[in-house]
Amino acid sequence: MDVELPWTEEVLKGETVGKKEVIAWIQEHATFQFLAEKKLKGALKNIAKIKSKDDCIKFYVELCETKAFRKEGDVDESSKSAASAGDSVEKMTAATAKLEVDSGPPKFKKSIQKKGNKINYPQKGDTVKVYYKGSLENGKVFDTNIHAQRRGKIQPLAFKVGKGIVIRGWDEALLTMSLGEKAEITIEPEWAYGKRGLEGKIPPNARLIFEVELMAIE
């Protein structure tokens, strides 16, 4: 089965994609044997506690190189009879938490800096290409692919929108932008990196401010 790779190794080394997103993608696509060997089976939150971002990048690269991708219909033989009451409770708790996050008004605000064409809007699954700059509320820039002296030499970030590859605030906000639009997007912690933050570079419960320019929709 051909699997489309969502990120390059260079993108993963930036701050836009967190290790939870990487782990989740590997869990979805890797064979059960690969997951067992790398100790990536189990609850995402627990694995994220013990695996570093560098570990996740290494596993991602190895998976892509070995093409140990799961085939449709594959079954995890080791877990057929391993379901437990504790497992069920954990799954129910996770589902409840998701419902709580999904409820209520959107957890981002958008201020348009440059209007788009108001005709072409991305749909879920489309590949979008963006230039961006991410800052904390104190103005500290934690990640960007905008460099004035190198503009035109650096390619915009490309990814499939609405698929959970990036933080939810990005997914939701980009679906409201038209081609060519540039906007400042303020994202609440719930739709960013939440209570845990991101490996010391983004504090817990941080509200994030992004400048995003939608360059292409494919």
Side-chain angles (χ1 to χ4, degrees):
M1 178 179 67
D2 292 331
V3 175
E4 187 168 352
L5 306 180
W7 314 290
T8 64
E9 188 174 353
E10 182 180 350
V11 168
L12 289 180
K13 289 179 179 178
E15 306 303 331
T16 305
V17 183
K19 65 179 177 181
K20 283 187 177 180
E21 287 95 332
V22 182
I23 295 168
W25 189 88
I26 294 173
Q27 286 184 326
E28 181 180 354
H29 293 91
T31 63
F32 295 112
Q33 181 179 352
F34 183 94
L35 296 177
E37 290 174 353
K38 307 305 178 186
K39 294 182 172 54
L40 292 172
K41 295 176 68 175
L44 176 60
K45 63 180 181 179
N46 294 335
I47 295 171
K49 288 179 181 178
I50 59 176
K51 300 295 184 184
S52 69
K53 179 72 174 290
D54 287 341
D55 288 334
C56 297
I57 294 173
K58 182 180 69 175
F59 297 147
Y60 175 85
V61 171
E62 184 176 341
L63 174 59
C64 296
E65 289 177 347
T66 60
K67 299 189 182 302
F69 297 119
R70 193 181 315 161
K71 296 178 181 178
E72 187 174 353
D74 282 358
V75 176
D76 185 3
E77 298 292 338
S78 66
S79 63
K80 272 186 174 180
S81 59
S84 65
D87 220 18
S88 300
V89 169
E90 184 173 2
K91 289 178 181 177
M92 290 174 63
T93 302
T96 303
K98 186 176 187 303
L99 287 173
E100 290 175 353
V101 168
D102 287 349
S103 64
K107 294 176 175 59
F108 75 91
K109 293 181 180 179
K110 187 182 75 170
S111 174
I112 297 175
Q113 298 179 333
K114 184 182 75 174
K115 293 181 180 179
N117 65 9
K118 295 186 177 181
I119 298 173
N120 303 106
Y121 292 83
Q123 303 296 314
K124 287 185 178 181
D126 286 347
T127 295
V128 296
K129 295 183 178 181
V130 301
Y131 283 113
Y132 69 92
K133 180 174 74 173
S135 307
L136 303 177
E137 288 187 288
N138 63 8
K140 181 180 179 181
V141 176
F142 59 83
D143 192 24
T144 182
N145 67 352
I146 302 172
H147 301 278
Q149 68 275 23
R150 298 175 64 190
R151 179 82 178 194
K153 295 182 180 179
I154 297 179
Q155 294 296 314
L157 174 66
F159 61 93
K160 288 186 178 296
V161 70
K163 293 294 186 177
I165 293 172
V166 294
I167 57 175
R168 183 174 178 185
W170 264 44
D171 270 342
E172 300 284 353
L174 277 161
L175 293 173
T176 73
M177 296 176 67
S178 64
L179 184 62
E181 182 176 324
K182 183 177 181 180
E184 181 180 274
I185 302 167
T186 302
I187 303 175
E188 297 299 319
E190 296 93 330
W191 282 13
Y193 291 96
K195 296 178 180 179
R196 295 189 62 83
L198 181 61
E199 297 182 358
K201 296 185 179 180
I202 296 176
N205 297 310
R207 182 181 290 114
L208 305 182
I209 301 169
F210 287 94
E211 290 180 16
V212 179
E213 185 171 5
L214 179 57
M215 305 301 295
I217 305 170
E218 298 175 354

